[in-house]
């Protein structure tokens, strides 16, 4: 499928929305300088949009979002190279068809857990609500080929969590769309912060599994507007 | 009592003020995404207003505040569902007639104490001023029925503190109105922050009870404008 | 001396400047809600201006600054009560004639040191520059009479430091004017933050006394514009 | 070379850009009050621009940037004294001809490492990307002569890192221009924050040297736009 076969209005809207999602990453202080990116799958297509590599967040415009095929190759003529993490995003879209948005950050508290290779334990109801249990650690992998994507998919497939802490690296989150992936990134960092602070006080109490199950079930099905 | 029996100007003012109070929760960084809410009792009525569930703080308008009976049921036709914490707020209003405002947050430093199940000790005069002693821990309770409300009321009834750390969950605060409940939420997190940081240095010194009593007495009766 | 004997333009300017100084305390996140205050001596008079008690920082105007005699009594008809810390500020102005501005905060990292009753050690050149050594701890004292003022004056008289950590309470800083006192409050919290974080890594190295002396001497006499 | 021999448009642009770079230091919270500065080499000249000493960041204008010779002496008539760190910046420009920008901060997390005299270990891919290994510690040196400059140059010459933690002092970063030096200052503090937080959880895992080398190589040569 080529870019010009996508309904222009939809693609333009997706580009604008993706600029807004990067703005949220900045406002929630999940990213600094140019270190982090979001992408969104173009519905009913084999395409996704992703941030251009190394462009300042303040300078992002809809045209800074690069249209790519699901193999990571450019799907339009572009003066801009896509994010250096494009291969990882593309791998996720290829192997997790339910995923419509992917976010990558190096948010500080989550990175602290990634640096020591520990999952974020489920010690707060908010973690049970959003992640359905602990937030898992994925393998260490060099950037540049499919290794990071494979690690994300292997860790999150069949797992309730929409966030993975890639060891010694950072956070990847997934969602049904870009908004949901940003939400998971925000709540992953917020959870990491509360839990790390709690560790400074003592040993946080892990919530019982049946409580975790009930909280997750309710939050996924009752919370919010219908 | 029905919504249309409330003086419209007053209800409209309460709705606007409640939007403002949510803005304060955001500005003080006590809430992220949609995770936190405030409510206010409608004076001289059996009603209260509360945030709609899952609505972004930036998108809140007076009409995002849902009017409820004190049993938590809707008191007006509304396209919006009220907060998933409505039952807890309602329980507090039913059982603590002196309470005019309730706030719920997952602010990070307070949640750290909640995660380990420790009260915030009264080691700073500001804690004695506002809370009259330590900030207590309430029981763990699943969301969805009266359990959380019962835990709040059981912990705060007869206690000077206007804030309770619900175990493995977050903070609930009360006040004579929404402003006072927001103030308690702000000062609870500020207290938690200073005390947790102090714990990184050593063992903070607890203030003697007679000093706590004198500070609380003065702050409640002398501080501020008459 | 009565208020109407002060050149009006000067007093008006001082009021406006003092509003601005409170804005800086908010912007540097040294104060929350209404918990903190600044004052300024009216030059060539026996008067000082101080924030009204319990007024929101966002609502401050020049007329929210209350003119007081050096004994802490009102020097003008005012609908507003002065800060509950007025007695402490007044005591400092009476006993330290070189002081033209006083600031009081409960900034979090400095309060952590105050809660454990430890001075902030001089382990960074910035601390030597501004404070000329460690930032000392003052005694615990109840609010309401001269005890806090006495503790501040006893601790800072003859000491290089312009900041004192009042035990289990918070920070008081002094300066030749309100700007200098705000600066000391900003740098006290910044110093406390770096040192407390360092303590999480290990034992910070104290700077040798002759280096401290040289740094302090230079910063006080060479830094900045002539 | 005299100031009037520099193409005016270029010099004016450099002055404006340097104001903007100081704004970034404030926005990223790397500096408080007046404690930090940036400079930029004037291309094809023996001159550089640096912040005036002790001027508030909010008050900076292009004319607050003082033009200096590479020996640190004034290269133009100026009512303003240059930064008290001018000698250190000048020393770097004289001895590291590849450097076009220098930044100095006392950012808190990096200062924590400086206070204990520990390098920031390379435990996150982002550190490998930008710094090519650990961020090293430089010697303690008094301000005022070439000692600080010598320490910076001795530590960074032949090292991949663009940042040095000067013991008991703060951070100096270098870059091909002012933007690159600011970027290094932002990422140094961000790295320090994640690593210090990780230390609160346990012992972060150091990345294997061949992985560090591969990450650094790729980031320096593939990342961003061509």
């Amino acid at each position: 499928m080529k870019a010009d076969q996508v309904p222009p209005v939809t693609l333009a809207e997706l580009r604008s929305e993706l600029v807004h999602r990067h703005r949220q990453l900045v406002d929630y202080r999940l990213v600094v300088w140019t270190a982090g990116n979001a992408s969104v799958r173009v519905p009913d297509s084999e395409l996704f949009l992703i941030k251009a590599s190394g462009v300042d967040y303040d300078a992002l415009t809809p045209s800074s979002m690069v249209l790519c095929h699901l193999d990571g190759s450019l799907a339009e003529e572009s003066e801009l190279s896509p994010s250096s993490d494009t291969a990882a995003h593309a791998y996720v879209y290829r192997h997790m068809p339910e995923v419509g948005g992917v976010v990558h950050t190096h948010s500080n508290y989550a990175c602290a857990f990634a640096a020591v290779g520990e999952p974020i334990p489920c010690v707060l109801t908010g973690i049970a609500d959003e992640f359905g249990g602990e937030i898992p650690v994925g393998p260490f992998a060099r950037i540049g080929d499919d290794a990071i994507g494979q690690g994300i998919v292997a860790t999150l497939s069949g797992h309730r969590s929409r966030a993975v802490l890639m060891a010694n690296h950072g956070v990847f989150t997934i969602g049904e769309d870009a908004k949901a992936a940003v939400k998971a990134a925000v709540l992953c960092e917020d959870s990491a912060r509360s839990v790390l602070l709690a560790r400074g006080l003592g040993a946080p109490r892990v919530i019982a599994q049946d409580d975790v199950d009930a909280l997750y079930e309710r939050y996924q099905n009752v919370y919010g507007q219908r």
Side-chain angles (χ1 to χ4, degrees), chain A:
Chain A
M1 188 179 191
K2 293 180 186 170
D4 58 359
Q5 293 174 315
V6 178
V9 61
T10 301
L11 195 56
E13 287 172 356
L14 283 174
R15 288 181 188 275
S16 292
E17 198 223 337
L18 198 53
V19 172
H20 170 63
R21 296 300 164 204
H22 283 92
R23 169 53 43 195
Q24 289 188 302
L25 297 182
V26 172
D27 289 347
Y28 275 112
R29 298 177 183 257
L30 303 186
V31 294
V32 299
W33 207 255
T34 62
N37 42 71
S39 68
V40 63
R41 189 194 291 270
V42 180
D44 305 320
S45 80
E46 299 293 315
L47 301 167
F48 67 102
L49 287 163
I50 191 167
K51 179 182 177 292
S53 182
V55 177
D56 292 348
Y57 296 112
D58 284 350
L60 290 183
T61 67
S63 61
S64 318
M65 302 301 139
V66 182
L67 191 67
C68 296
H69 294 292
L70 292 192
D71 63 2
S73 63
L74 285 182
E76 63 183 351
E77 300 230 355
S78 173
E79 293 180 359
L80 296 170
S81 307
S83 165
S84 62
D85 296 301
T86 297
H89 291 247
Y91 191 92
V92 172
Y93 289 122
R94 286 204 304 280
H95 291 86
M96 301 184 85
E98 71 279 18
V99 171
V102 177
V103 165
H104 174 43
T105 80
H106 302 87
S107 63
N108 297 118
Y109 285 81
C111 272
F113 282 91
V116 296
E118 277 191 35
I120 300 174
C122 189
V123 299
L124 288 164
T125 56
I127 302 174
D129 288 345
E130 174 72 11
F131 301 103
E134 70 176 23
I135 300 175
V137 176
F140 177 80
R142 285 192 196 169
I143 196 173
D145 59 17
D146 278 348
I148 292 178
Q150 289 169 354
I152 299 167
V153 170
T155 310
L156 295 185
S157 292
H159 200 293
R160 286 172 176 169
S161 178
R162 296 157 181 163
V164 53
L165 311 171
M166 295 299 282
N168 295 105
H169 181 174
V171 180
F172 281 86
T173 63
I174 58 176
E176 64 192 32
D177 52 22
K179 180 178 182 177
V182 171
K183 179 187 181 188
V186 169
L187 295 179
C188 177
E189 179 66 3
D190 193 61
S191 302
R193 181 187 301 250
S194 291
V195 177
L196 190 145
L197 293 171
R199 289 277 290 269
L201 293 171
R205 298 188 294 199
V206 175
I207 300 176
Q209 187 62 43
D210 62 331
D211 286 319
V212 171
D213 293 346
L215 288 162
Y216 180 69
E217 172 66 20
R218 178 185 166 85
Y219 188 76
Q220 299 305 319
N221 295 308
V222 179
Y223 186 83
Q225 304 300 327
R226 293 299 102 197

